[in-house]
Amino acid sequence: MTGNPMRFRSTRGSQQRLGFSEALWRGLAEDGGLYVPETWPLFSVSDFDGAESLAEVGERLLAPFVEGDPLATQIGAIVREAFNFSAPLRQVRGTADDEILTALELSNGPTAAFKDFGARFLAACFQRIRKPDAAPVNILVATSGDTGGAVAAAFHGRSGMAVTVLFPKGLVSPTQQHQLTCWGDNVRAFAVRGTFDECQRLVKEAFGDAALRQHQQLSSANSINLGRLLPQAVYYAATSLAWYRKRDRPLSFIIPSGNLGNAVACLWARQLGLPIGHVVLAHNANRTVPDFLSQGEWLPRASIATLASAMDVGNPSNMERMRDLFPDHVRLCDVVSAISVEDSAIRHRIREDRARFGEVWCPHTAVAAEVWATMSAERRRAEAWCLVSTASPAKFPEVVEPLIEGRVSVPETLARLFDRPSVFEEIDASLEMLKVGLKSR
Ligand SMILES: *Cc1c(COP(=O)(O)O)cnc(C)c1O
């Protein structure tokens, strides 16, 4: 698979072409588009012979993408460092013999959600891209819940790098707030008196502030960063390979989706030749994507709050990458379908699957479980289906526990976070206050 240096281009068509490190460092293309690979290497299953762990599969899968980049020789070390926890595939108990339903567990990382994969990979790359004698870098993240915790965990304790998390005061759950504020050391958390959109605006303003940037080197770790998306293709590759080796057939995925990063990663793995069948996007009541697939018109709208809050996205940015991969709507609909699920169905699914399968889903995973449960029996039998379990239910006890009328067991990684004290500073949604806060160290 060695060949030409890989370049990345923007989805919006500017002429700029960048290598891997530079695309990661910039985050967003200069024309406002998202970086995508200029060419797609094609793998066969046998290219992965002897590779089983996430790190082994990841090293081979990602090698062509870092070809010609300063990180090329370090990709093995990066994936071993980032993927130091497992992503097991298990059979869901109790489904009928002629139906295959599995769950891919992505919540074994430090903050018990799949965003740990991308955040840890990006941190491992940034650490190596940064010159040892360069000024410290401050990663600014606005978060509505899950992202900030994963990014904070991934960068916590790394020298030369700091993280500043901005979250809307009173608008994240108590459990989420704790995961944003329990770090200390090189991680600071600001509770902003405002909404998530205002937090995002503050981050944008900070990036645009020349005086601040003279004083601090700022960077971002947005979910649209290539360095968060590409590593997510690794667990789809490893899972579909393991399945194919055992069962000699592709695996189809039902993915709880919001901003579509996880789904695009799966489609990228498929594009690279991995044995992946259909991809179903399981959305909550934010139905921009299901409406687009059924009507062919892209009509982004304001997001609405649901029980699966990490998927409350009305204008998913990674749609740009999905349409870039499938410019033809008919072709897109051959491979991808999308369904919207209301809160009442999420509640019902959490209760019912606890009773019939003994499974306790997080509210996001429950959206995928509902999509499977409401498929026709024919469609259920036609493919080997895999629910992507994006988070541990222990992150959302406020939603899940009343429904199952019991406690959810807390994984040890989360329990350790709950033991740490919470520290944060409160600020108005103004750049001036953020600047004062940032300079106070
Ligand atoms: C972020 C998140 C999602 C949505 O993932 P996207 O990549 O934005 O589509 C789903 N579930 C959980 C638990 C999340 O944290």
Side-chain angles (χ1 to χ4, degrees):
M1 275 279 160
T2 53
N4 299 325
M6 174 66 81
R7 302 259 128 201
F8 296 88
R9 63 171 175 86
S10 163
T11 46
R12 303 224 176 136
S14 77
Q15 292 306 306
Q16 187 190 47
R17 298 289 183 271
L18 296 179
F20 185 77
S21 293
E22 226 182 327
L24 255 57
W25 202 246
R26 296 215 189 174
L28 199 67
E30 58 186 3
D31 59 1
L34 310 186
Y35 290 115
V36 294
E38 194 176 28
T39 56
W40 293 100
L42 188 62
F43 288 91
S44 63
V45 168
S46 61
D47 287 329
F48 294 94
D49 285 352
E52 284 182 17
S53 68
L54 284 173
E56 288 162 348
V57 171
E59 186 171 358
R60 291 193 203 175
L61 187 79
L62 300 181
F65 295 97
V66 290
E67 185 80 42
D69 189 81
L71 290 180
T73 56
Q74 304 182 61
I75 192 67
I78 291 168
V79 291
R80 280 189 293 278
E81 182 188 319
F83 304 148
N84 66 344
F85 53 93
S86 64
L89 182 74
R90 61 189 164 77
Q91 192 88 31
V92 174
R93 286 163 279 171
T95 48
D97 282 347
D98 54 352
E99 294 174 349
I100 296 171
L101 182 62
T102 59
L104 172 61
E105 195 49 74
L106 299 182
S107 64
N108 290 346
T111 69
F114 80 89
K115 291 189 175 75
D116 286 325
F117 287 93
R120 286 178 60 78
F121 180 88
L122 187 69
C125 289
F126 273 9
Q127 181 97 71
R128 288 166 176 84
I129 293 171
R130 186 184 161 266
K131 307 267 179 300
D133 53 352
V137 182
N138 192 349
I139 314 279
L140 269 185
V141 241
T143 185
S144 58
D146 267 0
T147 299
V151 170
F155 285 86
H156 181 234
R158 287 181 188 269
S159 63
M161 296 197 280
V163 173
T164 303
V165 176
L166 305 181
F167 65 94
K169 177 177 183 265
L171 297 178
V172 301
S173 77
T175 312
Q176 280 176 325
Q177 176 160 330
H178 191 84
Q179 287 164 32
L180 300 173
T181 57
C182 69
W183 300 100
D185 305 325
N186 61 334
V187 178
R188 293 174 78 188
F190 290 100
V192 176
R193 297 182 200 104
T195 61
F196 170 61
D197 290 339
E198 286 172 290
C199 296
Q200 273 193 313
R201 173 179 55 77
L202 273 185
V203 168
K204 278 201 189 125
E205 286 175 4
F207 276 100
D209 192 278
L212 181 62
R213 298 198 76 165
Q214 206 163 31
H215 172 81
Q216 299 216 341
Q217 193 179 348
L218 299 179
S219 191
S220 78
N222 279 336
S223 67
I224 43 126
N225 194 301
L226 184 72
R228 283 187 50 191
L229 203 129
L230 198 54
Q232 292 176 194
V234 173
Y235 48 76
Y236 289 110
T239 305
S240 63
L241 277 170
W243 181 261
Y244 191 84
R245 285 168 181 154
K246 230 173 23 191
R247 303 290 191 105
D248 205 21
R249 64 188 286 198
L251 193 57
S252 291
F253 291 94
I254 307 176
I255 308 177
S257 291
N259 212 24
L260 298 174
N262 209 359
V264 167
C266 183
L267 291 168
W268 281 8
R270 190 180 182 281
Q271 177 78 9
L272 290 166
L274 276 301
I276 294 169
H278 283 272
V279 175
V280 181
L281 313 176
H283 285 268
N284 59 26
N286 290 278
R287 39 179 320 127
T288 307
V289 176
D291 287 350
F292 169 64
L293 288 192
S294 62
Q295 289 152 27
E297 224 185 327
W298 182 241
L299 298 170
R301 52 199 86 157
S303 64
I304 45 181
T306 75
L307 291 174
S309 57
M311 294 158 36
D312 291 346
V313 183
N315 185 8
S317 23
N318 279 301
M319 193 57 173
E320 217 168 301
R321 284 188 168 119
M322 202 177 285
R323 295 175 77 176
D324 190 85
L325 191 62
F326 293 106
D328 179 43
H329 196 75
V330 175
R331 180 84 190 93
L332 172 67
C333 294
D334 275 348
V335 178
V336 179
S337 46
I339 293 166
S340 161
V341 169
E342 298 289 327
D343 272 358
S344 55
I346 295 177
R347 285 197 197 89
H348 170 76
R349 187 51 45 205
I350 291 174
R351 275 196 218 100
E352 175 148 322
D353 283 3
R354 166 58 188 268
R356 64 173 185 166
F357 295 154
E359 295 279 353
V360 180
W361 307 124
C362 90
H364 310 81
T365 309
V367 175
E370 173 70 7
V371 166
W372 181 82
T374 50
M375 271 179 187
S376 70
E378 200 184 357
R379 185 139 200 245
R380 277 211 296 266
R381 279 196 296 266
E383 324 247 340
W385 289 105
C386 175
L387 302 179
V388 177
S389 172
T390 50
S392 161
K395 294 192 78 160
F396 309 95
E398 298 89 351
V399 176
V400 176
E401 290 187 341
L403 294 170
I404 62 167
E405 296 174 30
R407 304 300 301 268
V408 288
S409 58
V410 179
E412 200 180 319
T413 43
L414 273 189
R416 247 179 276 144
L417 300 193
F418 291 147
D419 283 344
R420 302 172 69 100
S422 159
V423 179
F424 62 92
E425 297 148 72
E426 207 176 300
I427 61 169
D428 285 334
S430 87
L431 182 62
E432 284 320 302
M433 267 194 92
L434 176 62
K435 281 162 81 169
V436 171
L438 286 175
K439 284 183 185 161
S440 72
R441 272 239 190 127

